Amino acid sequence: QPDFLPVFIYTIYFEKLFFGFVCQTWKTGKHLVFDCADHAGGNMFFYLFFVPGSLQIGDYRLDEVIAMLISGILLSGVTTAITEEMIFRGLMLKSVEKLFGKRLAIIITSLLFAVYHLVNIDISDPRKVLLVLTGTMLAGLALGLVTIHMQSIWPSVMIHAMYNILGGDSALINISNEQFFPALFSYTLKTDRWLLAGIPGTDDMETALPAMVGFAIIIFLAQYRILKEKEEHERNHIDY
C-alpha cells in the first residue's frame, strides 16, 4: 500500500537517528511535568472564574457525546500532541541540536513550530500573525526546554496533550467569544479584547495573553530546574 510507504520510511529514519531521544526514560524532574501540565487546567479556570462569559452545556445524544470525547481526547488531544512532538521536539530538535547546540536548536525548532501554525489564520492581518507567532513560539520554547531537560519527548507530549484537551480549544470545552464548533461545554466570552479572547476561529487560547503568561512560567520553571541540576552536578563533582 502506498499510504504505508512514507510511514515506513519515517519510522526507519526516526528509529535510526532519534530512537534514544524519544524513548529514553524520564531521568529527572518528573515533578516538573505535572507542574507544567497544571497550566492547561489553570488557563481554563482563569477564564471560567475571572473573565465574564456564559457557560452552555451541550444537549447531545450518547453517541454524539462519545464522538466528542474521542475527538477531544484522542484525536485533537493525544494524537495531535504525539505527532507534533515527534516532529518538532523529536526529529527536528535532535537533528538541529547536533548542528547548532541546544539553545539554538530550541529557538529554531520553536520558530518553525510557530510558523507551522500560521496555516490556521489569515496572514494578511499583521496582528494575527504576531499573536500566533508569539503564542506558539513561547509554547515551543517551553516544550523544547522540557524535552531537553527530561531527555525525552514524552513529558512534552503529556503537557501538550493536556493543553490540547483542557486549554479551551477542544470538543470537550471551547472557550471563545464566538463558537465555531460544537463542544460538550462552551464558554462564550463577553469581551472582544484580543489579549483575552485571542484570535476567534483558530487556536484562540494559544494566542491570548493568559496562555502566553503560562508558557512563560513553564520556560522559567524548566530553566530553573536545568540551572539547579547543573549547579548540583558541579558541586557533587567538586566534592568528589
Side-chain angles (χ1 to χ4, degrees):
Q1 295 291 333
D3 292 342
F4 290 105
L5 181 60
V7 177
F8 175 76
I9 295 174
Y10 170 83
T11 303
I12 296 299
Y13 177 72
F14 182 75
E15 289 184 349
K16 181 178 179 181
L17 297 180
F18 308 106
F19 188 77
F21 197 57
V22 173
C23 297
Q24 262 186 314
T25 55
W26 303 6
K27 292 181 178 180
T28 57
K30 294 180 182 180
H31 52 284
L32 174 63
V33 178
F34 297 103
D35 290 341
C36 296
D38 287 342
H39 164 49
N43 190 66
M44 176 181 66
F45 285 114
F46 171 82
Y47 280 94
L48 294 178
F49 287 102
F50 297 105
V51 181
S54 58
L55 179 64
Q56 296 89 35
I57 302 176
D59 183 17
Y60 300 105
R61 301 189 311 269
L62 179 60
D63 61 320
E64 292 175 323
V65 171
I66 293 174
M68 287 183 179
L69 289 172
I70 293 173
S71 173
I73 297 175
L74 293 181
L75 299 181
S76 63
V78 176
T79 303
T80 300
I82 291 176
T83 302
E84 292 185 358
E85 292 310 304
M86 280 189 169
I87 293 173
F88 290 99
R89 258 66 66 179
L91 285 169
M92 290 187 181
L93 183 61
K94 195 62 178 179
S95 58
V96 177
E97 181 188 348
K98 290 181 178 180
L99 296 174
F100 302 106
K102 292 180 180 179
R103 290 185 180 181
L104 271 179
I106 293 174
I107 294 172
I108 291 171
T109 54
S110 298
L111 180 58
L112 292 173
F113 182 65
V115 172
Y116 162 73
H117 282 81
L118 289 177
V119 298
N120 298 323
I121 67 164
D122 176 13
I123 59 174
S124 65
D125 187 332
R127 188 181 68 181
K128 290 182 178 181
V129 171
L130 179 62
L131 285 175
V132 170
L133 287 179
T134 303
T136 50
M137 180 80 176
L138 285 171
L141 289 171
L143 295 170
L145 278 169
V146 170
T147 300
I148 290 293
H149 175 60
M150 302 289 288
Q151 286 298 295
S152 170
I153 69 162
W154 299 115
S156 62
V157 166
M158 177 183 290
I159 296 169
H160 195 151
M162 287 291 291
Y163 187 84
N164 285 352
I165 295 168
L166 299 176
D169 286 319
S170 74
L172 293 184
I173 179 165
N174 183 35
I175 302 173
S176 178
N177 55 8
E178 298 179 47
Q179 300 299 329
F180 291 91
F181 56 87
L184 292 179
F185 301 93
S186 299
Y187 191 70
T188 305
L189 301 175
K190 296 179 180 178
T191 179
D192 291 325
R193 295 179 180 177
W194 53 274
L195 282 177
L196 279 177
I199 303 174
T202 179
D203 300 320
D204 301 33
M205 296 300 96
E206 289 179 14
T207 59
L209 185 60
M212 295 183 194
V213 172
F215 286 122
I217 292 173
I218 294 177
I219 293 171
F220 172 78
L221 287 174
Q223 191 64 35
Y224 172 77
R225 298 293 182 189
I226 291 171
L227 293 175
K228 186 176 180 180
E229 290 191 3
K230 183 179 180 181
E231 290 175 357
E232 290 178 354
H233 175 75
E234 291 175 352
R235 185 166 56 251
N236 292 335
H237 182 71
I238 292 173
D239 292 340
Y240 179 77

